[in-house]
Amino acid sequence: VAIHQVSKSINSAFFSHTGEFLLTTTMSNRLDLYRNAHLQKEILETENRFSHNTTTGRWLSTFMASWHASHDIFVVGSMERPRGID
């Protein structure tokens, strides 16, 4: 068991289809990527961190990144103009 330390709430946490990566979306406006999180002990070590505005500022659900069904790639919505998917 390992701990994911964040300053604000976690909106989502999903494993990739291979189970090698864990991707979290937080209210700290970032996406955190972990490799082999299921093997880590104590505190999770971030493989990569991406800045991303996850706050919608409206009566909408918060953004949650999603993995592709058969590849280790992910997408997440964006409030940037023009609207899009990153």
Side-chain angles (χ1 to χ4, degrees):
V1 174
I3 298 171
H4 180 345
Q5 289 187 317
V6 293
S7 60
K8 295 187 178 181
S9 65
I10 298 172
N11 295 335
S12 65
F14 297 110
F15 281 97
S16 64
H17 79 285
T18 62
E20 181 179 1
F21 296 101
L22 173 66
L23 176 66
T24 63
T25 309
T26 70
M27 289 303 291
S28 299
N29 290 321
R30 65 179 191 234
L31 306 174
D32 292 331
L33 184 67
Y34 302 92
R35 182 184 297 266
N36 294 320
H38 61 289
L39 300 176
Q40 293 187 32
K41 304 278 190 224
E42 306 204 10
I43 305 297
L44 285 175
E45 294 182 27
T46 306
E47 174 81 14
N48 209 333
R49 179 167 282 159
F50 307 94
S51 293
H52 185 78
N53 184 359
T54 57
T55 308
T56 59
R58 295 178 174 79
W59 295 102
L60 301 172
S61 299
T62 54
F63 288 121
M64 293 185 285
S66 295
W67 287 100
H68 187 277
S70 60
H71 301 288
D72 280 338
I73 58 174
F74 59 88
V75 296
V76 64
S78 173
M79 290 297 290
E80 299 293 321
R81 294 191 185 265
R83 303 288 190 246
I85 297 175
D86 295 338

